[in-house]
Amino acid sequence: MFSKTLLIACLATLTAHARPWTDDVIYFAMTDRFCDGDESNNVPADSDPALYDPSQQEISHYLGGDLRGVEKAIAAGYFNQLGVTAIWLTPVVRNVWRSGYDLGGWKSGYHGYWTQDWLDIDPHLTSKTSLTGEPYPDSAEGRMEHYRDFVKLAHAKGIKIIQDVVLNHAGPVFYYDVNHNGKFDSLDKGEWIQPFKKSGFYDNAQWIDLPQWNARKAQPDGPRELLGASIHTTGAVGNLASYGRKGFSSDSLGKSDGEEMECDFFSLRDFWTAPGSATVDALVNDFVEIYAFYLTTVGVDGLRIDTIKHVHHGFWDAFTKRLRERLGPAAAEKILFGEIYDGDPAKLGQYTWPSTWPASSVPDLDSVLDFNFCFNAREYLRKPGTEFGSAAAIEKALSTRTGKGANGRQFYNTSPSADGLNSRQKIITFIENHDGLNRFRVAGVSAERNRLAQALMLTLPGIPCLYYGSEFDLLDPRGKIGHDGETGRMMFFRHSGGPSIADVEASPGFQSFSKLAALRSKLPALRTGSWSPMWSDSGAGPDDDGVVAFARSSGEGTVVVVVNASDKDRVTGAGGQAMHLPSTVLSSGKILRRIFSSNESPTPPDVPADGPLQLPVAASTIAIYQLAPK
């Protein structure tokens, strides 16, 4: 007979699996930067101790964050209180631990994007015992057991887990033997990186074997048995012929001429993914085997896929199709979304379509990270002091989601995935991330402005994604507006000198986010309702007031959201420019009643909804009004 505790856990798990992705709120945590829950894994056995910084200050080093730190927060109810229903972790697989030449000099692989073994979890992230004290084997099996237990714990709390994955490249697993001496000269820059070859490839690539940096041949190099499952990989990632071996292109991130799909990025080793090449089918099939294992046996709920535009489109056709076929009916519960670092909706959306369009419209990726929205929201709100940008940028970003390209095709694929939802409905809305964008809140950007940005993300269409620490208005003092960098990758819950969980939960940022997340959960209009712009600045004149207003409507009701980025109280519809509810919303005999305000301004009287609307909103505030009977 089930115990009450086990029954509640089972019900929570079913709820997580059954919940549509449009109902979710995602929390993106850099695993090494969230919380050091187990100090015994900070310097794994036989690893170079210089890779870890015990002061937790040097962002190029490991700082100690691990699965146990996130586990403890899950167990304590931190994410439930915040209103988070899905956690996206940076890659947890075993990495190369050091590179001599990367952006900014030598670095460690703390971020997880330098894979060495796709079927092992990095020992920096796992523990030797479970959260309740049972021992794990000191092996890949034991590390995978810990990861599976981590996923089970999250599910027991009703939280989904999204695994960040890299199929574009491995870490620095081989070197270019420029002096042909048959050994890796790690102080020679030329053996880490070689200039890009437009034609041909370098034939001097050799596997590295430096255990203290876990710099060695990529794995798996054949079949594996893990957690009772047989994983039928063929060793494609351990075959040098699977790599382009064409060297480094310094401007590949911004290129769109094909070079970005063929080159190494610094010392990262690029896979050769061109359709029809001798090794691409084996690569696709092995990655399908690997990620089917994570999505079924381990139980993760979705994949965030890195560096999409740096891989040939035909590779994604094959990978997504074969993975869904491999998953069968379970594919309807999973999500595959990708990172295309570009603000052009045509480039973002093209990967939701197969490269064979118009012959086929079957979705490739389920969704993408909406960089277009991110860039425009930052244009509006990420300003110093009391300055603000054009609120019209928000309207522009949302309008492009329904736009079409020169070929007459919708930017985003409107064909539903296995769950019945299309890519536009499942687009991931975010304000900041761990890459060059940097944190939203940098020097000169106020905590209040940070909360407005998060509030906008929670109330506009899309699946909102919060970057770790933003719920505490975490400031990156070294970051600058208009400058890219990685300085925002700081430790959140530090050994000393940082906030405790109790401090964060009591903070204005946490309270604001949790209240809005609860409101989003309560009101279907804020999750899946249509969007209608009602008011925004022109972005061109002296009368701009910093306000944007819009309506969200569903069959279960309508809400109006007003955001005021100004340091002055405003009233929408003032100054002779009338603002009305959308004509599609029946408003006769109804009123708009304020149900939320991010500050303590007095509750205004109800506003008749059947005429010009004048809705007051205090300085630096978001206010939400609900259409209700008189």
Side-chain angles (χ1 to χ4, degrees):
M1 186 172 180
F2 282 115
S3 69
K4 181 178 179 183
T5 302
L6 183 57
L7 180 60
I8 291 171
C10 290
L11 290 173
T13 301
L14 289 172
T15 301
H17 289 163
R19 187 176 59 241
W21 283 96
T22 47
D23 285 2
D24 281 305
V25 174
I26 299 171
Y27 187 96
F28 173 33
M30 291 198 76
T31 320
D32 181 70
R33 300 299 153 95
F34 182 74
C35 176
D36 185 359
D38 181 356
E39 294 187 31
S40 70
N41 60 19
N42 291 339
V43 182
D46 302 319
S47 69
D48 181 354
L51 300 174
Y52 168 64
D53 175 21
S55 74
Q56 299 184 309
Q57 297 293 328
E58 179 48 65
I59 64 168
S60 66
H61 291 56
Y62 285 93
L63 299 187
D66 46 32
L67 291 175
R68 182 55 43 83
V70 185
E71 269 180 325
K72 288 180 176 179
I74 293 173
Y78 178 86
F79 298 106
N80 296 123
Q81 291 185 56
L82 184 56
V84 163
T85 61
I87 299 173
W88 154 23
L89 296 176
T90 43
V92 295
V93 295
R94 191 178 183 101
N95 266 230
V96 175
W97 299 331
R98 183 196 192 275
S99 173
Y101 291 92
D102 194 82
L103 188 65
W106 96 256
K107 292 181 181 178
S108 70
Y110 68 88
H111 41 65
Y113 294 94
W114 296 351
T115 311
Q116 182 269 328
D117 191 336
W118 274 262
L119 283 174
D120 194 0
I121 307 301
D122 201 278
H124 286 92
L125 305 181
T126 56
S127 297
K128 291 183 171 60
T129 63
S130 72
L131 197 58
T132 52
E134 294 84 1
Y136 292 124
D138 186 13
S139 63
E141 177 80 9
R143 290 185 287 273
M144 197 64 72
E145 281 185 29
H146 184 186
Y147 187 40
R148 182 175 61 179
D149 285 350
F150 171 87
V151 174
K152 286 181 177 179
L153 173 65
H155 287 172
K157 289 287 191 176
I159 296 171
K160 299 174 182 176
I161 295 297
I162 299 165
Q163 183 169 333
D164 202 327
V165 305
V166 187
L167 283 68
N168 169 64
H169 59 263
V173 291
F174 64 76
Y175 67 100
Y176 293 105
D177 189 12
V178 293
N179 58 12
H180 301 284
N181 67 354
K183 67 178 184 178
F184 179 37
D185 301 303
S186 63
L187 298 180
D188 183 348
K189 181 177 180 179
E191 300 217 340
W192 291 96
I193 59 176
Q194 281 290 292
F196 180 70
K197 288 174 78 85
K198 289 189 179 294
S199 61
F201 63 94
Y202 289 97
D203 61 4
N204 58 350
Q206 302 286 336
W207 297 113
I208 302 174
D209 187 17
L210 292 175
Q212 71 271 26
W213 297 342
N214 198 46
R216 45 180 128 195
K217 181 181 178 181
Q219 298 289 324
D221 59 3
R224 290 272 182 95
E225 296 279 336
L226 283 169
L227 305 181
S230 297
I231 308 159
H232 302 290
T233 52
T234 62
V237 299
N239 178 2
L240 282 172
S242 296
Y243 298 83
R245 292 164 290 155
K246 294 178 73 66
F248 165 58
S249 171
S250 61
D251 58 351
S252 65
L253 290 181
K255 278 187 171 289
S256 58
D257 60 1
E259 188 172 306
E260 76 281 3
M261 295 183 287
E262 297 181 347
C263 66
D264 293 344
F265 185 71
F266 285 98
S267 60
L268 308 186
R269 305 312 184 200
D270 190 73
F271 287 118
W272 190 247
T273 57
S277 61
T279 58
V280 70
D281 265 350
L283 267 177
V284 170
N285 290 336
D286 277 12
F287 280 133
V288 166
E289 279 291 305
I290 289 166
Y291 289 112
F293 166 75
Y294 284 111
L295 289 162
T296 56
T297 302
V298 177
V300 300
D301 302 282
L303 305 179
R304 179 270 188 187
I305 308 176
D306 187 60
T307 47
I308 292 290
K309 73 176 183 178
H310 299 278
V311 175
H312 292 84
H313 199 154
F315 181 96
W316 299 124
D317 293 347
F319 174 74
T320 56
K321 179 177 184 291
R322 295 179 202 175
L323 180 59
R324 291 185 180 113
E325 288 173 350
R326 179 79 161 70
L327 294 174
E333 299 171 353
K334 311 298 183 181
I335 191 170
L336 310 176
F337 67 92
E339 177 235 12
I340 302 100
Y341 204 127
D342 201 295
D344 182 349
K347 292 180 180 178
L348 293 171
Q350 70 174 312
Y351 296 97
T352 65
W353 295 93
S355 65
T356 54
W357 181 88
S360 172
S361 295
V362 175
D364 264 18
L365 298 177
D366 290 313
S367 183
V368 297
L369 288 155
D370 191 355
F371 279 86
N372 179 46
F373 167 77
C374 176
F375 294 154
N376 281 286
R378 289 158 78 95
E379 160 59 27
Y380 169 40
L381 292 173
R382 195 172 185 253
K383 303 291 182 182
T386 59
E387 294 180 27
F388 52 83
S390 170
I394 300 301
E395 186 173 330
K396 173 186 172 185
L398 270 289
S399 297
T400 59
R401 290 186 184 173
T402 57
K404 294 182 179 181
N407 58 3
R409 186 180 73 183
Q410 294 275 342
F411 289 143
Y412 298 99
N413 195 339
T414 53
S415 303
S417 296
D419 62 355
L421 299 169
N422 63 41
S423 62
R424 192 185 299 157
Q425 292 169 301
K426 292 188 287 188
I427 200 164
I428 312 298
T429 307
F430 71 108
I431 299 290
E432 58 196 332
N433 70 9
H434 58 321
D435 286 325
L437 278 174
N438 217 317
R439 288 194 173 271
F440 180 89
R441 190 169 181 226
V442 294
V445 177
S446 68
E448 291 77 14
R449 190 63 63 81
N450 180 66
R451 283 172 229 148
L452 276 190
Q454 310 306 334
L456 194 63
M457 181 180 72
L458 279 165
T459 53
L460 282 167
I463 304 172
C465 180
L466 178 72
Y467 189 38
Y468 81 100
S470 286
E471 69 271 33
F472 190 58
D473 299 314
L474 192 62
L475 171 68
D476 173 14
R478 292 186 290 168
K480 296 180 180 180
I481 297 170
H483 292 267
D484 286 353
E486 298 175 350
T487 55
R489 299 177 176 185
M490 68 271 284
M491 197 73 190
F492 187 18
F493 293 106
R494 292 156 49 196
H495 292 153
S496 63
S500 66
I501 281 184
D503 292 334
V504 175
E505 289 176 341
S507 70
F510 188 100
Q511 293 296 315
S512 173
F513 192 94
S514 62
K515 287 175 184 175
L516 278 166
L519 200 60
R520 184 179 185 274
S521 177
K522 178 182 176 182
L523 299 175
L526 287 178
R527 300 194 306 276
T528 58
S530 62
W531 167 81
S532 300
M534 295 177 64
W535 177 276
S536 66
D537 294 340
S538 68
D543 297 327
D544 291 348
D545 60 6
V547 174
V548 63
F550 54 89
R552 301 288 311 275
S553 299
S554 72
E556 299 178 62
T558 294
V559 296
V560 173
V561 179
V562 186
V563 177
N564 179 13
S566 167
D567 63 338
K568 297 179 175 58
D569 295 349
R570 302 293 193 192
V571 177
T572 63
Q577 299 184 45
M579 186 178 80
H580 296 79
L581 278 169
S583 59
T584 53
V585 177
L586 180 64
S587 56
S588 179
K590 295 185 178 181
I591 53 150
L592 282 173
R593 176 173 296 140
R594 194 176 78 183
I595 58 172
F596 177 87
S597 176
S598 58
N599 71 15
E600 300 302 319
S601 61
T603 302
D606 297 335
V607 178
D610 52 3
L613 299 176
Q614 292 194 332
L615 302 178
V617 58
S620 301
T621 294
I622 179 171
I624 301 177
Y625 293 80
Q626 186 172 32
L627 189 65
K630 282 186 176 179

